[in-house]
Amino acid sequence: PGMRIRTQGRSYGLLVLGLVAVLFGGSRCFALLRLVSAQEPNCEATMLRKVIKQVLPAAPKHWVGDGFHVHPVFSNKAFSAELSPFLMFDYAAPKYFPPSNKRRGVGQHPHRGFETVTIAFSGEIEHADSTGQSDTIRAGDVQWMTAGRGIIHEEFMSTEFSKTGGQLEMCQLWLNLPKQYKMAKPGYQAITKHQIPNAALPSGALTDGHVRVIAGDYNSTRGAATTFTPVNLWDIVMTTASQPHVFNI
């Protein structure tokens, strides 16, 4: 409720909606969009014929390691051509963890041929990998890891967060690499919330919320991440639930 998506112009005529999922555990809505150039002469008519293909049921939560209790948002569509280039999407709804001296998370494990994008909404997550990169992301920060030809990494709640305890909320998206970049050099981007530009919602009033442009662009505002795959990744914050917003894609 309060969010509408509309296409305009002739640059793009076919909208592929990767996902719109409302997860009531965190009252958070995710919209992953991929635009494909139109091949049909009547783009607007094509848009009017778009229908909802399928509504995915909420899949049961599962633990990733001992620190991340996640919803597999893509359910049985994960790793399918229908959602390409998106591979997998896990969302950890807000969960309180008591103070502990134990590191909670996932130990060393390998990745290859894709990228992982982790967004922290609350809590702190530590990353370390085989290229020597290490970092801690906090609320609003993003880590964008390119596995490329191969990388080994680990993810844990930060040492300080584990000691004090608190609420953790985060999500992780896996993004496939194009064939020509499968063997790219592994890399890591630590993107703080201050590096992510904010753009106004269609209403233009900042009191209604804003769009955090993580990757791609929104209304001429370029995202902070450097990507191999041309995608738009936005974190849309709407503070007035009763105010409808029309997004021109």
Side-chain angles (χ1 to χ4, degrees), residues 5 7 11-20 31-38 47 50 74 80-87 173 175-176 178 215-217 229-234 249:
I5 298 174
T7 58
S11 297
Y12 299 100
L14 178 61
L15 173 68
V16 178
L17 187 59
L19 170 75
V20 174
L32 307 180
L33 307 178
R34 180 165 64 93
L35 294 174
V36 181
S37 298
M47 293 309 304
K50 294 297 291 181
F74 285 168
S80 69
E82 291 180 80
L83 298 187
S84 178
F86 306 113
L87 296 175
L173 173 70
L175 181 63
N176 202 11
D217 64 84
T229 305
V231 295
N232 292 325
L233 180 56
W234 309 332
I249 307 299

Side-chain angles (χ1 to χ4, degrees), residues 51 89 108 117 134 154 178 185 211-212 221 234:
V51 297
F89 189 18
Q108 292 187 348
V117 183
S134 61
E154 61 182 31
K185 180 181 178 181
V211 178
R212 299 199 323 137
T221 298
W234 309 332

Side-chain angles (χ1 to χ4, degrees), residues 23 56-62 70-76 89-91:
L23 303 176
L56 298 178
K61 292 190 293 184
H62 66 271
V70 302
H71 296 267
V73 181
F74 285 168
S75 188
N76 61 355
F89 189 18
D90 281 347
Y91 170 62

Side-chain angles (χ1 to χ4, degrees), residues 32 35 69 77 97 122 141 146 162 173 185 229 238 240:
L32 307 180
L35 294 174
H69 200 199
K77 296 295 182 181
F97 289 87
S122 63
D141 298 342
T146 302
S162 296
L173 173 70
K185 180 181 178 181
T229 305
M238 293 182 286
T240 51

Side-chain angles (χ1 to χ4, degrees), residues 47-61:
M47 293 309 304
L48 291 175
R49 289 199 300 268
K50 294 297 291 181
V51 297
I52 296 174
K53 186 175 180 180
Q54 184 179 0
V55 177
L56 298 178
K61 292 190 293 184

Side-chain angles (χ1 to χ4, degrees), residues 176-237:
N176 202 11
L177 282 170
K179 182 179 180 180
Q180 64 269 34
Y181 299 122
K182 287 285 188 181
M183 298 300 287
K185 180 181 178 181
Y188 179 82
Q189 299 174 69
I191 306 171
T192 68
K193 64 180 179 182
H194 302 295
Q195 295 173 308
I196 299 172
N198 292 333
L201 290 172
S203 67
L206 291 178
T207 54
D208 290 337
H210 57 272
V211 178
R212 299 199 323 137
V213 188
I214 298 171
D217 64 84
Y218 173 79
N219 279 357
S220 300
T221 298
R222 293 293 302 170
T226 300
T227 70
F228 287 94
T229 305
V231 295
N232 292 325
L233 180 56
W234 309 332
D235 181 12
I236 301 175
V237 179

